[in-house]
Amino acid sequence: MRILAIETSCDETACAVYDPGVGLLAHALFSQIDLHAEYGGVVPELASRDHVRRLLPLVRKVLRESDTPRPDAVAYTAGPGLAGALLVGASTGQALAWGWGVPAVAVHHMEGHLLAPMLESPAPDYPFMALLVSGGHTQLVEVAAPGRYRLLGESLDDAAGEAFDKTAKLLGLGYPGGPAVAQLAQQGRDGVFRFPRPMTDRPGLDFSFSGLKTAVLHAVKSHADDAQTRADIALAFEQAVVETLAIKCRRALEQSGLRRLVVAGGVSANRRLREQLAQLDADLFYPRLEFCTDNAAMIAVAGALRLQAGERAGPQIAVRARWPLAEL
Amino acid sequence: MRLLAIDTATEACSAALLVDGAVSERHEVAPRRHGELILPMVQTLLAEAQLHAADLDGVVLGRGPGAFTGLRIGCGVVQGLAFAADLPVAPVSTLAALAQGGWRETGCERIAAAIDARMGEVYLAHFRVEAGLVVIEGEERVVAPDQVELPTDGWCGCGTGWAAADGAMATRNRDRLITVLPQALPRARDLLPLGEAQLKAGLGVVAEAALPVYVRNEVAWKKAT
């Protein structure tokens, strides 16, 4: 059983071919980062336009690389994400499936992220705790079994990755901000600045990162604008985010009694976060670096699960820009 | 020839099938419902003709200009179908389809096709008719309706652009217009003869080259720093 997977929810166009019995056979991705960099963030209309240009050439590439003349199913990301961008993958994916005479299945982008570690060896056993931390999401999810998710906490405002992007902008760095801030932080001096660890002083597993951005703004405005100061601020910011995430993870593990932690999403590539989480009393599972960010391999894994459960999409082409994980 | 044609670039969601000279069509004015309607329309047309996608000789795409999201839904459907069934695509201007329909309905051989582009502008192109097919004169453009001046007499104004800004284009060009069809929308049936001619001329393209033509390309603004 070979599944062609398509991901177009934001600013990466991605395709993969996956066989649940064999593993990942091919994957390819086109990142639009350069396209959006000069605007300081993703421009939805430009993203949609680029997906239309990139998608089929990527489909052709992964089918050729995996020697797949016709897949047995097509999985595509149906949400959450940018509606116009999602529609490119949904309409093309459904028409491909119908043209081939094979089933199509709609996949929840975050379920893809949750299941991305299943592509690795060893893969985590169920149940496990998952921290999803990206530019669009910061969530703690308890995964009892395949398809059984319980949202334990999430960001009430900015996602952690978004806070990195905004802080990067305040520090005069480029987009995306995560790697840029982390790199600058390496030159920072410990203890020069200290920012709050939002919402760690009260019970619960929700996050809030918008106040942190304000604290950074204040620090930038009220101190000398030199390279060292910016590095010091970057370090203090990164420490605050990382420690906040780690505190909530520890709390989630303690409350649930779980000993396995899956960490996925773009921010999970952050080295300082990985160091901090390594100190937790839990087995840690990360997708390989290239599958921490958006990709189609994870959509194929989630698609396989949904197909197995008998789910089918179409012929109506529908996407959900907002789609709570709890509604799965 | 057996051709499927799709246009989803305006309020109309339209699909048509040509089988050896006979045309069948599904056409609905359904703003923002293209995703819901288009594949079922296509499936019904083919099922009624007892055809599969692989039985087609090609697909005709109404490639815009028009509303971006609807246009991309149709483009995605055509791309996916043409790729899976290994069919050539004839991308045809949505304004040309509109003009072809204007000629079919009025017989007028000078058609100024215009689609309301919102934001105070219209998509516009001028067409003449040769051997039963519209041929563009000049280029497709996006313009403010009160700046449009028809070059000669004897035109049919066709499409929602002629109703935009309280009919500003029609008022200004009153003396040069024979008739105006301000409610006309492009129909997939009118894509068929244009697409058929393209494919017969060997001008079909592979699926991934069947791309939207937006005409309006000012869609993002860089932040002033």
Side-chain angles (χ1 to χ4, degrees):
Chain A
M1 164 104 172
R2 289 190 175 192
I3 300 168
L4 170 71
I6 292 171
E7 155 65 34
T8 63
S9 67
C10 189
D11 61 346
E12 327 266 2
T13 319
C15 292
V17 176
Y18 171 73
D19 183 330
V22 178
L24 188 62
L25 300 173
H27 67 98
L29 178 143
F30 184 89
S31 172
Q32 304 177 354
I33 281 178
D34 294 343
L35 176 68
H36 301 290
E38 58 182 316
Y39 302 98
V42 177
V43 182
E45 176 58 23
L46 294 183
S48 300
R49 289 186 178 199
D50 212 45
H51 285 308
V52 177
R53 284 191 290 267
R54 307 290 178 189
L55 182 53
L56 271 194
L58 288 178
V59 168
R60 201 179 282 283
K61 183 175 184 325
V62 294
L63 291 178
R64 195 176 51 226
E65 283 178 9
S66 61
D67 200 14
T68 308
R70 194 189 76 169
D72 303 296
V74 179
Y76 61 88
T77 307
L82 302 170
L86 290 164
L87 274 169
V88 174
S91 55
T92 310
Q94 283 212 12
L96 281 169
W98 185 65
W100 278 317
V102 303
V105 66
V107 172
H108 190 292
H109 180 81
M110 300 311 287
E111 181 169 48
H113 276 303
L114 279 176
L115 299 179
M118 297 304 168
L119 289 160
E120 307 305 332
S121 179
D125 291 325
Y126 297 93
F128 58 81
M129 184 63 61
L131 172 68
L132 297 178
V133 61
S134 70
H137 299 271
T138 307
Q139 297 182 332
L140 276 163
V141 181
E142 186 179 337
V143 181
R148 283 182 54 205
Y149 312 118
R150 194 155 69 94
L151 182 66
L152 300 181
E154 65 183 330
S155 181
L156 305 177
D157 40 60
D158 293 354
E162 200 178 349
F164 268 99
D165 286 338
K166 289 176 175 174
T167 294
K169 218 181 252 186
L170 290 172
L171 294 172
L173 301 170
Y175 168 88
V181 170
Q183 202 189 345
L184 183 61
Q186 285 176 23
Q187 270 82 55
R189 294 167 299 178
D190 200 7
V192 177
F193 290 93
R194 186 183 159 82
F195 297 128
R197 274 61 172 154
M199 300 188 68
T200 53
D201 57 350
R202 64 189 95 161
L205 296 169
D206 286 334
F207 304 89
S208 165
F209 291 108
S210 69
L212 198 48
K213 169 195 66 195
T214 311
V216 170
L217 176 65
H218 187 71
V220 168
K221 285 201 165 157
S222 56
H223 290 84
D225 182 25
D226 59 80
Q228 185 59 56
T229 305
R230 283 198 297 272
D232 294 340
I233 291 172
L235 176 62
F237 165 80
E238 191 184 33
Q239 286 172 331
V241 173
V242 162
E243 202 178 305
T244 303
L245 293 170
I247 289 169
K248 300 284 175 160
C249 283
R250 178 183 300 121
R251 209 176 273 176
L253 290 166
E254 281 168 2
Q255 284 179 13
S256 63
L258 294 173
R259 300 291 291 272
R260 285 181 286 269
L261 178 64
V262 161
V263 190
V267 181
S268 72
N270 183 281
R271 197 175 50 87
R272 198 175 299 276
L273 176 65
R274 291 191 173 207
E275 285 169 7
Q276 194 109 30
L277 294 178
Q279 293 167 25
L280 294 175
D281 184 21
D283 294 328
L284 284 166
F285 296 87
Y286 294 94
R288 73 194 79 164
L289 225 44
E290 63 183 326
F291 295 160
C292 281
T293 44
D294 291 353
N295 65 88
M298 67 182 196
I299 300 306
V301 175
L305 179 74
R306 294 286 153 187
L307 282 162
Q308 208 175 11
E311 290 185 21
R312 299 290 183 270
Q316 285 81 17
I317 298 161
V319 299
R320 292 183 67 177
R322 291 168 175 273
W323 186 2
L325 196 57
E327 286 178 22
L328 275 180
Chain B
M1 253 193 170
R2 294 166 168 179
L3 294 180
L4 174 72
I6 288 173
D7 197 296
T8 55
T10 67
E11 299 93 303
C13 183
S14 197
L17 183 66
L18 174 74
V19 182
D20 307 325
V23 175
S24 52
E25 189 186 41
R26 288 288 184 282
H27 181 87
E28 204 170 317
V29 179
R32 288 191 298 280
R33 289 179 56 213
H34 301 90
E36 178 192 334
L37 296 173
I38 191 66
L39 261 185
M41 280 180 170
V42 169
Q43 292 175 356
T44 307
L45 285 171
L46 285 178
E48 284 173 359
Q50 296 183 307
L51 292 177
H52 295 285
D55 301 325
L56 296 169
D57 296 307
V59 190
V60 191
L61 167 67
R63 51 72 165 158
F68 301 158
T69 298
L71 173 53
R72 277 191 291 265
I73 290 172
C75 184
V77 166
V78 167
Q79 281 197 351
L81 193 56
F83 185 97
D86 199 17
L87 301 170
V89 181
V92 170
S93 160
T94 296
L95 284 167
L98 184 59
Q100 186 74 21
W103 172 74
R104 179 172 50 76
E105 293 210 350
T106 65
C108 181
E109 299 204 336
R110 282 178 182 165
I111 311 278
I115 295 168
D116 189 345
R118 315 285 172 195
M119 296 159 63
E121 292 181 314
V122 299
Y123 298 116
L124 176 77
H126 298 169
F127 296 86
R128 65 176 187 278
V129 180
E130 281 179 15
L133 297 177
V134 295
V135 178
I136 193 165
E137 297 187 322
E139 291 184 330
E140 296 172 304
R141 51 206 170 106
V142 59
V143 285
D146 57 5
Q147 287 168 17
V148 172
E149 201 157 316
L150 293 172
T152 53
D153 289 345
W155 289 86
C156 165
C158 184
T160 55
W162 290 93
D166 294 325
M169 274 200 309
T171 308
R172 188 182 166 121
N173 293 280
R174 194 183 304 121
D175 301 338
R176 302 195 151 176
L177 286 162
I178 295 170
T179 180
V180 180
L181 308 173
Q183 268 135 43
L185 291 167
R187 300 189 76 111
R189 64 178 304 140
D190 293 313
L191 287 171
L192 287 170
L194 297 164
E196 186 179 25
Q198 267 188 36
L199 290 171
K200 280 184 173 163
L203 297 174
V205 300
V206 292
E208 46 265 70
L211 294 170
V213 172
Y214 300 100
V215 179
R216 174 180 278 157
N217 289 315
E218 289 292 316
V219 293
W221 289 266
K222 281 161 204 159
K223 273 207 168 148
T225 46

